[in-house]
Amino acid sequence: MIGRARAQAHPNLALVKYWGNRDDSLRLPANASVSINLDGLLTTTEVEWHGEDGTTDSLHLNGALQSGEALARVVRHLNALRERLHVRGRAVVHSENNFPTGTGIASSASAFAALTSAFCAAVGVAVDERTQTTLARLGSGSAARSIPSGFVEWHAGDTHEESFAESIAAPDHWDLVDVIAIVSTQHKAVGSSVGHPSAQTSPFQAARVQTAPARLVECIGALMTRDFAALAEVVERDSTLMHAVMMTSRPPLFYWLPPTLAIMAAVREWRADGLRVCTTLDAGANVHCVCVSADAEEVRNRLAVQSGVVAVRSAPIGGATHVQPLTTISD
Ligand code: PMV
């Protein structure tokens, strides 16, 4: 039996962050999080499934056959999918990003969301959206948030089934824009998979996790009422708390570079001037400048003259995974 399916997914930007797991193997997060999907940035993944035919998977990324850790991580995820969906066989995976790798824009969320979605369709097992989010989470925690559409909440949960993501508002609920200031194109030295297990070595992690539910309520409240001032305050506070944990973990993780701090300071000034913009950072030096669309062009222009900023990309929020029609499963 051969099945083939293609799926697409966007990366997402967390407004209340996920950092650290209560269970590393299941990627049950220490706290719930909320994100927006990033339109314009897209991973497209095709899975060709050879049922009952060996277990040697292959992976092509942007046309290049992969080996080593990139392949090993995908094979681990395919093993988890095979086990949970009770299917046997091997997968030939072709995956492409429309955004250049090496820009420092994290792609694991869109990669594992698209892979999970394409896999489910290729093996011909009907999997509802909630279950797909739990399966995607096994590959990369934040991938759970790239399955549902628009504004998304990922519930922490105590079990595999309870740790799922769901849409809390449609993409057009609020026309926010993420202007990404690319200050470093370096591949991050320490990725999040290595970083999560070290979160608990910071004495600040317990306090961050304990106060995360309150920030989640504040953030969702600000999103629902489209209150930008309230959103900016909680988004910046949450990002700084996560980076405080990272910096005080053992070994410490310092992602901020001098231009990162310069942009964060400039954005605070611009906000005081009346621009509706705030900053948030993931596990890297690039600065996500979240703003209302009316102010996005001005933010982009001001970032362009900011020294050290190599490139700026603008990405309004958009829908999440879109599965293209299956080719028929044949003998
Ligand atoms: O899903 P991961 O393992 O790539 O972790 C994502 C971690 C952050 O991007 C730093 C925060 C988040 O919630 O996306």
Side-chain angles (χ1 to χ4, degrees), residues 12-18 33-36 145 235 238 280 282:
N12 64 75
L13 173 68
L15 302 174
V16 169
K17 307 290 190 186
Y18 145 59
S33 53
V34 67
S35 63
I36 50 178
R145 298 188 310 238
V235 164
D238 187 80
T280 181
D282 287 333

Side-chain angles (χ1 to χ4, degrees), residues 62-201:
N62 297 320
L65 185 65
Q66 302 292 306
S67 58
E69 183 46 31
L71 173 66
R73 188 167 174 190
V74 163
V75 170
R76 279 197 296 275
H77 189 55
L78 291 170
N79 286 340
L81 294 176
R82 276 187 277 257
E83 192 187 318
R84 292 200 178 258
L85 298 179
H86 310 292
V87 294
R88 291 173 55 194
R90 69 184 173 90
V92 179
V93 179
H94 287 265
S95 190
E96 288 183 10
N97 293 324
N98 77 342
F99 49 100
T101 46
T103 51
I105 299 172
S107 55
S108 67
S110 53
F112 283 98
L115 175 62
T116 302
S117 191
F119 183 92
C120 292
V123 300
V125 179
V127 181
D128 61 28
E129 182 184 280
R130 172 175 165 164
T131 305
Q132 274 193 37
T133 72
T134 63
L135 295 174
R137 191 200 72 237
L138 298 170
S140 172
S142 58
R145 298 188 310 238
S146 279
I147 299 276
S149 178
F151 295 79
V152 176
E153 179 179 356
W154 170 19
H155 303 277
D158 287 325
T159 62
H160 170 70
E161 289 76 17
E162 283 172 11
S163 187
F164 69 99
E166 63 179 337
S167 180
I168 55 171
D172 62 0
H173 166 70
W174 193 4
D175 53 350
L176 295 176
V177 171
D178 176 17
V179 182
I180 309 169
I182 311 288
V183 303
S184 169
T185 57
Q186 298 263 307
H187 199 77
K188 53 193 170 199
V190 180
S192 44
S193 290
V194 178
H196 289 297
S198 72
Q200 64 194 17
T201 63

Side-chain angles (χ1 to χ4, degrees), residues 297-322:
E297 216 34 54
E298 180 64 19
V299 169
R300 225 166 117 94
N301 292 341
R302 291 191 190 192
L303 283 170
V305 295
Q306 184 83 28
S307 71
V309 175
V310 175
V312 177
R313 292 179 66 140
S314 179
I317 58 165
T321 304
H322 167 70

